[in-house]
Short mmCIF file of all heavy atoms in Angstrom, two decimals:
data_model
loop_
_atom_site.label_atom_id
_atom_site.label_comp_id
_atom_site.label_asym_id
_atom_site.label_seq_id
_atom_site.Cartn_x
_atom_site.Cartn_y
_atom_site.Cartn_z
N LEU Y 24 -7.75 14.97 -1.66
CA LEU Y 24 -6.89 13.93 -0.93
C LEU Y 24 -5.68 14.72 -0.35
O LEU Y 24 -4.48 14.31 -0.74
CB LEU Y 24 -6.46 12.85 -1.87
CG LEU Y 24 -6.35 11.42 -1.38
CD1 LEU Y 24 -7.74 10.98 -0.77
CD2 LEU Y 24 -5.98 10.39 -2.59
N PRO Y 25 -5.77 15.60 0.56
CA PRO Y 25 -4.61 16.41 1.00
C PRO Y 25 -3.70 15.62 1.72
O PRO Y 25 -2.51 15.90 1.88
CB PRO Y 25 -5.30 17.54 1.84
CG PRO Y 25 -6.59 16.93 2.29
CD PRO Y 25 -7.02 15.92 1.27
N SER Y 26 -4.06 14.56 2.30
CA SER Y 26 -3.20 13.69 3.19
C SER Y 26 -3.51 12.14 2.61
O SER Y 26 -4.59 11.87 2.06
CB SER Y 26 -3.45 13.84 4.67
OG SER Y 26 -4.82 13.56 5.06
N ALA Y 27 -2.84 11.26 3.16
CA ALA Y 27 -2.86 9.93 2.68
C ALA Y 27 -4.11 9.20 3.07
O ALA Y 27 -4.66 9.52 4.19
CB ALA Y 27 -1.63 9.10 3.14
N ALA Y 28 -4.59 8.36 2.33
CA ALA Y 28 -5.70 7.35 2.78
C ALA Y 28 -5.03 6.15 3.22
O ALA Y 28 -4.11 5.66 2.61
CB ALA Y 28 -6.70 7.08 1.67
N LEU Y 29 -5.50 5.48 4.42
CA LEU Y 29 -4.98 4.34 5.07
C LEU Y 29 -5.81 3.29 4.81
O LEU Y 29 -7.08 3.27 5.17
CB LEU Y 29 -4.64 4.58 6.57
CG LEU Y 29 -4.18 3.35 7.31
CD1 LEU Y 29 -2.77 2.82 6.80
CD2 LEU Y 29 -4.13 3.49 8.83
N ILE Y 30 -5.35 2.11 4.20
CA ILE Y 30 -6.29 1.00 3.90
C ILE Y 30 -5.49 -0.20 4.67
O ILE Y 30 -4.50 -0.57 4.62
CB ILE Y 30 -6.29 0.68 2.40
CG1 ILE Y 30 -6.88 1.76 1.67
CG2 ILE Y 30 -7.00 -0.64 2.18
CD1 ILE Y 30 -6.73 1.59 0.18
N VAL Y 31 -6.37 -0.61 5.67
CA VAL Y 31 -6.11 -1.73 6.50
C VAL Y 31 -6.70 -3.08 6.00
O VAL Y 31 -7.97 -3.06 5.88
CB VAL Y 31 -6.52 -1.54 7.97
CG1 VAL Y 31 -5.83 -2.56 8.97
CG2 VAL Y 31 -5.94 -0.14 8.48
N ALA Y 32 -5.93 -4.07 5.84
CA ALA Y 32 -6.54 -5.42 5.18
C ALA Y 32 -5.68 -6.45 5.99
O ALA Y 32 -4.61 -6.39 6.58
CB ALA Y 32 -6.37 -5.36 3.77
N PRO Y 33 -6.24 -7.74 5.59
CA PRO Y 33 -5.47 -8.94 6.21
C PRO Y 33 -4.27 -9.04 5.42
O PRO Y 33 -4.07 -8.46 4.20
CB PRO Y 33 -6.37 -10.16 5.74
CG PRO Y 33 -7.76 -9.53 5.79
CD PRO Y 33 -7.65 -8.09 5.21
N THR Y 34 -3.21 -9.67 5.96
CA THR Y 34 -1.79 -9.80 5.46
C THR Y 34 -1.82 -10.40 3.99
O THR Y 34 -1.21 -9.78 3.14
CB THR Y 34 -0.93 -10.70 6.25
OG1 THR Y 34 -0.88 -10.13 7.60
CG2 THR Y 34 0.52 -10.66 5.69
N SER Y 35 -2.81 -11.30 3.74
CA SER Y 35 -2.83 -11.93 2.37
C SER Y 35 -3.33 -11.03 1.20
O SER Y 35 -2.94 -11.41 0.14
CB SER Y 35 -3.74 -13.23 2.50
OG SER Y 35 -4.99 -12.76 2.81
N LEU Y 36 -3.75 -9.88 1.64
CA LEU Y 36 -4.33 -8.89 0.63
C LEU Y 36 -3.47 -7.83 0.32
O LEU Y 36 -3.69 -7.07 -0.57
CB LEU Y 36 -5.78 -8.50 1.10
CG LEU Y 36 -6.80 -9.54 1.43
CD1 LEU Y 36 -8.15 -8.87 1.50
CD2 LEU Y 36 -6.96 -10.45 0.28
N MET Y 37 -2.33 -7.71 0.93
CA MET Y 37 -1.38 -6.57 0.70
C MET Y 37 -0.96 -6.49 -0.81
O MET Y 37 -1.06 -5.39 -1.54
CB MET Y 37 -0.22 -6.74 1.59
CG MET Y 37 -0.37 -6.35 3.03
SD MET Y 37 -0.98 -4.60 3.37
CE MET Y 37 -2.65 -4.88 3.55
N LYS Y 38 -0.47 -7.71 -1.28
CA LYS Y 38 -0.02 -7.77 -2.66
C LYS Y 38 -1.24 -7.37 -3.69
O LYS Y 38 -1.15 -6.79 -4.63
CB LYS Y 38 0.56 -9.08 -2.88
CG LYS Y 38 1.11 -9.21 -4.47
CD LYS Y 38 2.44 -8.24 -4.64
CE LYS Y 38 3.27 -8.59 -5.85
NZ LYS Y 38 2.30 -8.71 -7.14
N ASN Y 39 -2.35 -8.09 -3.30
CA ASN Y 39 -3.62 -7.76 -4.10
C ASN Y 39 -4.02 -6.34 -4.27
O ASN Y 39 -4.28 -5.83 -5.42
CB ASN Y 39 -4.77 -8.63 -3.57
CG ASN Y 39 -5.89 -8.48 -4.39
OD1 ASN Y 39 -6.11 -9.02 -5.49
ND2 ASN Y 39 -6.95 -7.75 -3.83
N TRP Y 40 -4.06 -5.56 -3.09
CA TRP Y 40 -4.39 -4.21 -3.11
C TRP Y 40 -3.34 -3.43 -3.94
O TRP Y 40 -3.78 -2.52 -4.90
CB TRP Y 40 -4.39 -3.51 -1.76
CG TRP Y 40 -5.66 -3.65 -1.06
CD1 TRP Y 40 -6.09 -4.49 -0.09
CD2 TRP Y 40 -6.80 -2.75 -1.36
NE1 TRP Y 40 -7.48 -4.13 0.14
CE2 TRP Y 40 -7.80 -3.07 -0.59
CE3 TRP Y 40 -6.93 -1.67 -2.17
CZ2 TRP Y 40 -9.10 -2.39 -0.48
CZ3 TRP Y 40 -8.15 -0.97 -2.23
CH2 TRP Y 40 -9.25 -1.38 -1.36
N LEU Y 41 -2.10 -3.69 -3.83
CA LEU Y 41 -0.99 -2.94 -4.64
C LEU Y 41 -1.17 -3.14 -6.06
O LEU Y 41 -1.03 -2.32 -6.94
CB LEU Y 41 0.55 -3.31 -4.12
CG LEU Y 41 1.51 -2.67 -4.82
CD1 LEU Y 41 1.41 -0.98 -4.61
CD2 LEU Y 41 2.86 -3.16 -4.25
N ASP Y 42 -1.38 -4.52 -6.45
CA ASP Y 42 -1.61 -4.86 -7.82
C ASP Y 42 -2.81 -4.21 -8.56
O ASP Y 42 -2.78 -3.63 -9.56
CB ASP Y 42 -1.76 -6.42 -7.98
CG ASP Y 42 -0.40 -7.17 -7.88
OD1 ASP Y 42 0.64 -6.51 -7.77
OD2 ASP Y 42 -0.49 -8.31 -7.60
N GLU Y 43 -3.85 -4.28 -7.66
CA GLU Y 43 -5.14 -3.53 -8.20
C GLU Y 43 -4.88 -2.08 -8.34
O GLU Y 43 -5.48 -1.57 -9.42
CB GLU Y 43 -6.32 -3.90 -7.22
CG GLU Y 43 -6.55 -5.31 -7.25
CD GLU Y 43 -7.36 -5.95 -8.45
OE1 GLU Y 43 -8.65 -5.70 -8.50
OE2 GLU Y 43 -6.61 -6.47 -9.25
N ALA Y 44 -4.35 -1.46 -7.37
CA ALA Y 44 -4.09 0.05 -7.55
C ALA Y 44 -3.12 0.31 -8.78
O ALA Y 44 -3.39 1.34 -9.55
CB ALA Y 44 -3.44 0.61 -6.27
N THR Y 45 -2.05 -0.42 -8.98
CA THR Y 45 -1.29 -0.28 -10.05
C THR Y 45 -1.88 -0.50 -11.47
O THR Y 45 -1.70 0.29 -12.32
CB THR Y 45 0.07 -1.18 -9.90
OG1 THR Y 45 0.61 -0.95 -8.75
CG2 THR Y 45 1.06 -0.99 -11.06
N ARG Y 46 -2.81 -1.42 -11.28
CA ARG Y 46 -3.51 -1.80 -12.58
C ARG Y 46 -4.63 -0.74 -13.02
O ARG Y 46 -4.60 -0.20 -14.12
CB ARG Y 46 -4.15 -3.17 -12.53
CG ARG Y 46 -5.05 -3.57 -13.73
CD ARG Y 46 -5.69 -4.92 -13.43
NE ARG Y 46 -6.55 -5.22 -14.45
CZ ARG Y 46 -7.35 -6.32 -14.42
NH1 ARG Y 46 -7.39 -7.03 -13.27
NH2 ARG Y 46 -8.26 -6.52 -15.43
N PHE Y 47 -5.37 -0.33 -12.04
CA PHE Y 47 -6.62 0.44 -12.33
C PHE Y 47 -6.38 1.91 -12.09
O PHE Y 47 -7.09 2.78 -12.58
CB PHE Y 47 -7.81 0.02 -11.52
CG PHE Y 47 -8.33 -1.39 -11.92
CD1 PHE Y 47 -8.16 -2.48 -11.21
CD2 PHE Y 47 -9.01 -1.56 -13.00
CE1 PHE Y 47 -8.56 -3.72 -11.48
CE2 PHE Y 47 -9.52 -2.76 -13.51
CZ PHE Y 47 -9.26 -3.87 -12.71
N ALA Y 48 -5.60 2.34 -11.16
CA ALA Y 48 -5.39 3.74 -10.73
C ALA Y 48 -3.92 4.07 -10.66
O ALA Y 48 -3.40 4.42 -9.62
CB ALA Y 48 -6.15 3.94 -9.46
N PRO Y 49 -3.13 4.00 -11.69
CA PRO Y 49 -1.73 4.21 -11.73
C PRO Y 49 -1.30 5.48 -11.31
O PRO Y 49 -0.20 5.74 -10.82
CB PRO Y 49 -1.22 3.92 -13.11
CG PRO Y 49 -2.51 4.11 -13.94
CD PRO Y 49 -3.56 3.67 -13.19
N ALA Y 50 -2.13 6.44 -11.17
CA ALA Y 50 -1.85 7.83 -10.83
C ALA Y 50 -1.75 7.99 -9.38
O ALA Y 50 -1.18 8.98 -8.79
CB ALA Y 50 -2.83 8.83 -11.42
N LEU Y 51 -2.34 6.96 -8.61
CA LEU Y 51 -2.23 6.94 -7.16
C LEU Y 51 -0.83 6.51 -6.74
O LEU Y 51 -0.50 5.52 -7.08
CB LEU Y 51 -3.39 6.14 -6.61
CG LEU Y 51 -4.80 6.67 -6.80
CD1 LEU Y 51 -5.76 5.60 -6.12
CD2 LEU Y 51 -5.11 7.92 -5.93
N LYS Y 52 -0.27 7.27 -5.90
CA LYS Y 52 1.03 6.83 -5.27
C LYS Y 52 0.88 6.12 -4.10
O LYS Y 52 0.26 6.50 -3.13
CB LYS Y 52 2.00 8.08 -5.01
CG LYS Y 52 3.44 7.86 -4.78
CD LYS Y 52 4.29 9.13 -4.66
CE LYS Y 52 5.67 8.62 -4.39
NZ LYS Y 52 6.58 9.93 -4.35
N CYS Y 53 1.42 4.82 -4.15
CA CYS Y 53 1.02 3.87 -3.05
C CYS Y 53 2.32 3.44 -2.29
O CYS Y 53 3.34 3.38 -2.94
CB CYS Y 53 0.26 2.67 -3.67
SG CYS Y 53 -1.09 3.13 -4.58
N VAL Y 54 2.16 2.93 -1.23
CA VAL Y 54 3.19 2.36 -0.44
C VAL Y 54 2.68 1.25 0.54
O VAL Y 54 1.40 1.33 1.13
CB VAL Y 54 4.00 3.38 0.47
CG1 VAL Y 54 3.14 3.95 1.51
CG2 VAL Y 54 5.23 2.67 1.10
N VAL Y 55 3.36 0.08 0.63
CA VAL Y 55 2.85 -0.99 1.38
C VAL Y 55 3.67 -1.02 2.70
O VAL Y 55 4.97 -1.09 2.70
CB VAL Y 55 3.10 -2.41 0.75
CG1 VAL Y 55 2.64 -3.45 1.66
CG2 VAL Y 55 2.19 -2.48 -0.55
N TYR Y 56 2.98 -0.59 3.84
CA TYR Y 56 3.67 -0.66 5.15
C TYR Y 56 3.73 -1.98 5.75
O TYR Y 56 2.83 -2.46 6.33
CB TYR Y 56 2.86 0.40 6.04
CG TYR Y 56 3.64 0.62 7.26
CD1 TYR Y 56 4.61 1.51 7.44
CD2 TYR Y 56 3.19 0.05 8.42
CE1 TYR Y 56 5.24 1.74 8.73
CE2 TYR Y 56 3.90 0.25 9.62
CZ TYR Y 56 4.82 1.07 9.80
OH TYR Y 56 5.49 1.35 11.01
N HIS Y 57 4.99 -2.58 5.42
CA HIS Y 57 5.10 -4.00 5.79
C HIS Y 57 6.59 -4.20 5.82
O HIS Y 57 7.33 -3.58 5.08
CB HIS Y 57 4.33 -4.87 4.84
CG HIS Y 57 4.18 -6.25 5.34
ND1 HIS Y 57 4.90 -7.46 5.07
CD2 HIS Y 57 3.30 -6.76 6.24
CE1 HIS Y 57 4.42 -8.48 5.60
NE2 HIS Y 57 3.33 -8.01 6.45
N GLY Y 58 6.89 -5.29 6.55
CA GLY Y 58 8.37 -5.70 6.57
C GLY Y 58 9.20 -5.02 7.63
O GLY Y 58 8.86 -4.11 8.26
N ALA Y 59 10.46 -5.42 7.73
CA ALA Y 59 11.45 -4.92 8.71
C ALA Y 59 11.76 -3.52 8.61
O ALA Y 59 11.98 -2.71 9.55
CB ALA Y 59 12.65 -5.80 8.83
N GLU Y 60 11.78 -3.00 7.23
CA GLU Y 60 12.11 -1.53 7.01
C GLU Y 60 10.98 -0.65 6.85
O GLU Y 60 11.13 0.34 6.16
CB GLU Y 60 13.10 -1.61 5.79
CG GLU Y 60 14.42 -2.34 5.94
CD GLU Y 60 15.22 -1.78 7.04
OE1 GLU Y 60 15.35 -0.37 7.01
OE2 GLU Y 60 16.00 -2.58 7.74
N ARG Y 61 9.83 -1.11 7.35
CA ARG Y 61 8.59 -0.32 7.00
C ARG Y 61 8.57 1.16 7.42
O ARG Y 61 8.15 2.01 6.68
CB ARG Y 61 7.38 -1.01 7.64
CG ARG Y 61 7.36 -1.33 9.13
CD ARG Y 61 6.29 -2.16 9.55
NE ARG Y 61 6.27 -2.42 11.07
CZ ARG Y 61 6.93 -3.25 11.66
NH1 ARG Y 61 7.55 -4.20 10.82
NH2 ARG Y 61 6.87 -3.51 12.94
N ARG Y 62 9.17 1.50 8.67
CA ARG Y 62 8.97 2.81 9.07
C ARG Y 62 9.93 3.72 8.25
O ARG Y 62 9.52 4.84 7.93
CB ARG Y 62 9.61 2.89 10.63
CG ARG Y 62 8.47 2.35 11.61
CD ARG Y 62 8.95 2.61 12.93
NE ARG Y 62 7.83 2.09 13.90
CZ ARG Y 62 7.13 2.83 14.68
NH1 ARG Y 62 7.36 4.29 14.67
NH2 ARG Y 62 6.22 2.36 15.49
N LYS Y 63 11.11 3.19 7.95
CA LYS Y 63 12.01 3.92 7.05
C LYS Y 63 11.39 4.09 5.70
O LYS Y 63 11.55 5.22 5.18
CB LYS Y 63 13.28 3.23 6.99
CG LYS Y 63 14.45 4.01 6.09
CD LYS Y 63 15.68 3.17 6.15
CE LYS Y 63 16.79 3.98 5.32
NZ LYS Y 63 16.48 4.23 3.93
N GLN Y 64 10.85 3.12 5.10
CA GLN Y 64 10.23 3.28 3.77
C GLN Y 64 9.09 4.31 3.80
O GLN Y 64 9.01 5.03 2.86
CB GLN Y 64 9.54 1.76 3.43
CG GLN Y 64 9.09 1.83 1.94
CD GLN Y 64 8.37 0.54 1.68
OE1 GLN Y 64 8.17 -0.36 2.55
NE2 GLN Y 64 7.90 0.31 0.46
N LEU Y 65 8.36 4.38 4.76
CA LEU Y 65 7.33 5.42 4.87
C LEU Y 65 7.89 6.68 4.99
O LEU Y 65 7.44 7.63 4.46
CB LEU Y 65 6.32 4.96 6.00
CG LEU Y 65 5.06 5.81 6.00
CD1 LEU Y 65 4.15 5.64 4.75
CD2 LEU Y 65 4.23 5.42 7.21
N ALA Y 66 8.90 6.80 5.86
CA ALA Y 66 9.58 8.22 6.03
C ALA Y 66 10.22 8.60 4.77
O ALA Y 66 10.13 9.86 4.49
CB ALA Y 66 10.47 8.12 7.21
#
């Protein structure tokens, strides 16, 4: 996994994906690209 994997989903599932990743695969570093500050957050 040399670079990030991008997961595209409906808006209603953003929180669900983050919760599931935190619960089942806490070693994966995740970011939700959403909201007004999304570009800065990703940078």
